[in-house]
Amino acid sequence: MTSSPLGRQHDVAGTDSARHLAPPHRARGIKVPELTLLFWIIKILTTGMGETASDWLARTIDPVIAVLGALLALSGLLAAQLRATRYRPWLYWATVAMVSVFGTMAADVLHVVIGIPYVASTIGFAVAVAAVLLLWHRAEGTLDIHSIVSTRRECFYWTTVCATFALGTAAGDLTATGFGLGYLASGVLFAVAFAVPVVAHRWRGLGAVPAFWVAYVLTRPLGASFADWIAVPPARGGLDLGTGAISLVLLVAIATAVAVHARQDRLARRG
């Protein structure tokens, strides 16, 4: 498979031992995918789906039940992911999708229920992401996701993933509603921001590991902003295609992309 510009973490950053943990296809025990273009496509699709699915669930069933149900589903998927002995595409991406749904709910609860301003929650989640990454690096010496070959590293990884989704949700809401840009303008803003670490890594010498994590955070508000723009009513600056309908479309797109990815992964293992 051809890697994206952010797909060669072990070649650019991380410890020397980490460099030997990701040969051309996949080192034994690594349970995260290769960073191909398809990885980023699926990631952005899951962020949009998480945003619209969270809104749809909160309006369709009791919000408390929706949050608890999402938490239980996420807990079950994380437990299964931690027990897995190798990378399983369907399990991995189902976990990411549920992180997206629950992360959206968690950020919304802070603002809607507790009343914490988007500026405060964005700053708070940014500090949380930075703290987790700092602890991870101090404990393991690398943040390269292709060095994740132990349960402790995997726990650091999924904790970081959860925090980045919450941060991205808060940041997207901050620009769209707090700063009054609207969802379309916010989507364009984050699309430009997403390109920055890619360009900086490829042509300005930014290490692949920091470039990856910056891009990873930005995929959340990028996908969510465009999904909201398509789904919400015109009164909120959207096209009014409906959160339920868009969630279903995105789920189908995710399933299709994961099926392609799973086939590529099988062929890579056989090769």
Side-chain angles (χ1 to χ4, degrees):
M1 294 181 288
T2 302
S3 295
S4 70
L6 300 184
R8 296 180 292 276
Q9 290 196 37
H10 52 279
D11 293 331
V12 182
T15 62
D16 289 338
S17 61
R19 291 191 180 98
H20 299 291
L21 292 174
H25 293 305
R26 176 165 305 282
R28 185 176 301 171
I30 294 179
K31 294 189 288 180
V32 296
E34 292 289 340
L35 301 184
T36 63
L37 176 61
L38 192 55
F39 169 90
W40 294 105
I41 291 173
I42 300 173
K43 175 63 167 62
I44 292 172
L45 289 173
T46 62
T47 65
M49 186 280 299
E51 179 72 18
T52 56
S54 174
D55 289 345
W56 182 79
L57 288 170
R59 287 169 171 75
T60 304
I61 62 178
D62 185 277
V64 175
I65 295 176
V67 172
L68 291 177
L71 177 59
L72 288 174
L74 175 58
S75 299
L77 287 167
L78 281 173
Q81 175 68 25
L82 290 172
R83 287 197 303 268
T85 57
R86 64 176 179 84
Y87 170 62
R88 298 183 181 278
W90 288 102
L91 175 59
Y92 175 88
W93 287 110
T95 306
V96 171
M98 191 49 62
V99 169
S100 180
V101 173
F102 181 74
T104 302
M105 291 179 173
D108 287 345
V109 164
L110 289 180
H111 179 73
V112 177
V113 179
I114 302 178
I116 297 176
Y118 287 130
V119 172
S121 59
T122 300
I123 293 173
F125 284 128
V127 171
V129 169
V132 174
L133 289 173
L134 177 62
L135 290 172
W136 181 359
H137 191 271
R138 291 186 65 177
E140 302 295 338
T142 179
L143 300 176
D144 184 348
I145 67 168
H146 292 115
S147 71
I148 300 174
V149 291
S150 69
T151 300
R152 185 168 76 167
R153 290 187 180 188
E154 193 174 8
C155 288
F156 274 122
Y157 172 73
W158 285 108
T159 301
T160 306
V161 169
C162 291
T164 61
F165 270 89
L167 169 59
T169 300
D173 288 335
L174 174 63
T175 58
T177 61
F179 293 162
L181 294 181
Y183 295 115
L184 177 58
S186 289
V188 173
L189 171 66
F190 287 113
V192 173
F194 176 77
V196 171
V198 178
V199 172
H201 167 58
R202 187 156 189 170
W203 289 289
R204 291 292 183 265
L206 178 64
V209 170
F212 167 79
W213 284 113
V214 172
Y216 196 90
V217 170
L218 290 171
T219 58
R220 177 64 183 90
L222 169 60
S225 295
F226 282 116
D228 270 334
W229 172 60
I230 296 170
V232 302
R236 295 176 57 193
L239 300 180
D240 199 23
L241 297 185
T243 55
I246 296 304
S247 297
L248 181 59
V249 170
L250 289 172
L251 277 172
V252 172
I254 291 167
T256 302
V258 172
V260 173
H261 177 62
R263 183 175 181 277
Q264 291 177 343
D265 186 69
R266 287 195 301 272
L267 292 175
R269 289 180 184 279
R270 291 172 185 172

